[in-house]
Amino acid sequence: MPPPNQRRRAELADAAIALLAETGVHGVTHRAVEKRAGLPTGTAANYFRSREALLVAAADRVGELHYADMDAAGAAYRPSSADTRDRAVDLIAGSLFTAATDHRDRYLAIFELRLESLRRPVLADALCGLLQRSVAFTTGHHTDLDLRIPPEAVPTLVALYGGALFTLVSSAPGEVTPELTRELAGAIVRAAPGDG
């Protein structure tokens, strides 16, 4: 059996993300994903044996894309003499704004999956694993950027970020502004434990 085509897997997961954002979890079927991706019937089942596996793949893909965005933001980041917390606010505000505008569908999809996970233990386990990876990734990201945010503060930051992001992506798109995301980022950083 040949190794799986990672590009094709990503195309299918991206199609599932788009459908989750547009139609909710009930609109995500193998056939709908194939149609959305422009692929032949049976392709999705070759990669994802069950609908649940397809939903897990969509969640994993959102995480993968989010981490890539964080890496890109980190690569573009230019350290300043500003206070550590001010630098953290800048990064979080930028991330919130981009996530709630340019990548809004991704996060609508992840919130749809979060609600669905209340009824699907396999999906709940996958999202728990994604959260653990996110905390570890964010901790490393902060260390790489010399933000000096204590590792024990990161789970709180991630939880607060998720709450702020839910508020933003469930708002009318025109309501999301850089000023609002900066205000939310400031509140997140202030509420997190640690000296920073």
Side-chain angles (χ1 to χ4, degrees):
M1 184 173 194
N5 179 327
Q6 294 305 316
R7 185 177 59 82
R8 180 63 46 87
R9 265 182 92 81
E11 289 172 348
L12 291 163
D14 288 341
I17 290 167
L19 287 167
L20 281 163
E22 291 170 11
T23 63
V25 74
H26 299 294
V28 180
T29 64
H30 285 87
R31 185 63 200 120
V33 166
E34 292 159 349
K35 186 175 180 183
R36 178 67 186 235
L39 296 170
T41 300
T43 305
N46 287 336
Y47 284 86
F48 310 107
R49 293 288 181 205
S50 66
R51 187 163 171 265
E52 208 160 57
L54 185 56
L55 296 175
V56 168
D60 288 342
R61 179 71 172 150
V62 171
E64 175 188 327
L65 294 168
H66 185 75
Y67 305 148
D69 289 344
M70 287 178 71
D71 280 341
Y77 178 70
R78 298 292 170 255
S80 70
S81 59
D83 173 83
T84 296
R85 288 189 173 247
D86 288 341
R87 289 185 284 140
V89 169
D90 290 342
L91 286 165
I92 293 169
S95 177
L96 282 170
F97 184 76
T98 301
T101 55
D102 297 345
H103 303 308
R104 183 172 185 256
D105 284 359
R106 287 183 200 166
Y107 301 99
L108 284 172
I110 207 74
F111 292 126
E112 285 281 342
L113 291 171
R114 189 77 181 145
L115 292 172
E116 184 66 13
S117 76
L118 298 174
R119 295 172 288 280
R120 293 178 183 261
V122 170
L123 185 56
D125 288 346
L127 288 173
C128 182
L130 181 61
L131 177 60
Q132 291 169 349
R133 289 190 302 277
S134 295
V135 168
F137 186 92
T138 302
T139 301
H141 187 69
H142 289 173
T143 300
D144 292 346
L145 297 176
D146 193 30
L147 292 178
R148 295 187 301 272
I149 293 173
E152 62 272 13
V154 175
T156 300
L157 282 173
V158 169
L160 294 171
Y161 179 97
L165 188 55
F166 179 82
T167 298
L168 293 169
V169 300
S170 60
S171 299
E175 293 176 11
V176 179
T177 64
E179 295 76 21
L180 175 58
T181 56
R182 183 158 185 82
E183 183 179 331
L184 289 170
I188 290 168
V189 171
R190 284 191 305 274
D195 296 327

